[in-house]
Amino acid sequence: QDNKSFGTGKYDYDDPGQDNKFIGAGNWALQNYNNDNGYYFWFFQWTFAGACATIVSGCVAERCRLEGYFIYTILLTTFIYPVVVHWVWSSTGWLSAFAPTSAGGDVYLHKNGMIDFAGSGVVHMTGGFAGLVGAIAIGPRVGFGDPSKLKGHSDLLAALGTSILWMGWYGFNCGSTLGAGSGSIGNPELANGAYIQLAGKVAVTTTIAAASAAITCMVASRVFTGQYMLTVCLNGVLAGLVSITAPCSVVEPWAAMMIGIIGAIVYGAASKGIKLAGIDDPLDAFPVHGACGIWGVLSVGIFATESNIARYYGKQNNAVQSGNQFRNQLIGVLAIMAWVVGTSSIIFFPLKFAGLLRVSAEEEEAGLDASEHGVDPKQIETESKAV
């Protein structure tokens, strides 16, 4: 391919002399680019890194100091997250489905490696588990357990935010085809608009999973609470989106519906579970991103088809039927969990002991808009009533 400029079978955003299976080590400050063709890729990956960091903010919302936020965000996006990305999406990563094949046709993990098309594991599990560690370290908000004290101030804004996220997800999932012309990342022999055709299918599976999960959560809310809870339905949308992010290119539409329904159940169970454990996650960020991220990765090993894997990844084998693909997905899940929980603990607990993680009880009561940003509390109250 014309963007493999080093003559080693590696892309020009990889350094052929220093990368290894665990971590990338080259192309600092984009110095290896020798033309303008690769910068879109950096920008695309930058948006993924930002998305990962924002997941964590949901878990520690309403009581995290801004200094602590800055520190963990910098460390997450410059070290913790990039290592996971390298494992799964770099051609040299040990979990990668894009790793060069040997003479026997095997990658580092037998047959197909771990398949995570747009980041259920890479982005959402990483952010979700980092956020879980942060929520445990920072502790629950004052009044946790009393819904009347901690109710969100605007369901309307929550619905608007979810709508924006849902639309943006098409950029992540469909955009992960990494092109709109002919050809394919995994199978260069495909042509005649294969990228854009695959992006169209990804849009369909993404939509079906999100809608199925939303409907499931809405029905469950009615059954268990007697009401149609809007916030539960909105998180159901996100649960379905996270769940389909890994398998969206390798499953059929009917499977996308099943993945969304099961994703809603996983979200509900995880949300209930962390509350019973005394963990305060104001936005249910871990249930949505961490728990559903696990399900999304594992669902590849259950619902992916041989023909779909061959279409995008260019590998024709019986990995799904033999159980090998599920094994690869499970290995990836466990590796990401271990890496993120371990490294995040090294960040969050020292921040806690240094007094840099949580605001005082008085500042929390006043609200972080007032204590951290200097906004007049009366103005906040007036605007809240207006909404």
Side-chain angles (χ1 to χ4, degrees), residues 20-24 79-99 108-109 113-114 116 121-122 126 331-340 343:
N20 57 52
K21 295 178 184 178
F22 181 80
I23 193 170
F79 182 62
I80 298 176
Y81 172 77
V83 169
V84 178
V85 176
H86 180 78
W87 289 354
V88 182
W89 287 340
S90 170
S91 61
T92 58
W94 71 277
L95 289 172
S96 179
F98 302 108
Y108 301 131
L109 282 184
M114 171 190 163
D116 184 358
V122 173
T126 300
I331 290 172
V333 163
L334 296 176
I336 293 171
M337 287 173 57
W339 170 255
V340 174
T343 52

Side-chain angles (χ1 to χ4, degrees), residues 156-173:
L156 175 62
L157 290 179
L160 175 61
T162 302
S163 299
I164 294 171
L165 280 171
W166 192 345
M167 182 58 64
W169 228 282
Y170 294 111
F172 276 129
N173 283 12

Side-chain angles (χ1 to χ4, degrees), residues 4 8 45 50 77 112-113 221 247 269 277 284 295:
K4 292 188 175 183
T8 59
Q45 293 300 328
T77 56
N112 297 331
S221 173
D284 267 348
W295 162 238

Side-chain angles (χ1 to χ4, degrees), residues 42-58:
W42 178 90
F43 180 78
F44 193 63
Q45 293 300 328
W46 171 79
T47 63
F48 274 97
C52 178
T54 59
I55 293 168
V56 184
S57 66

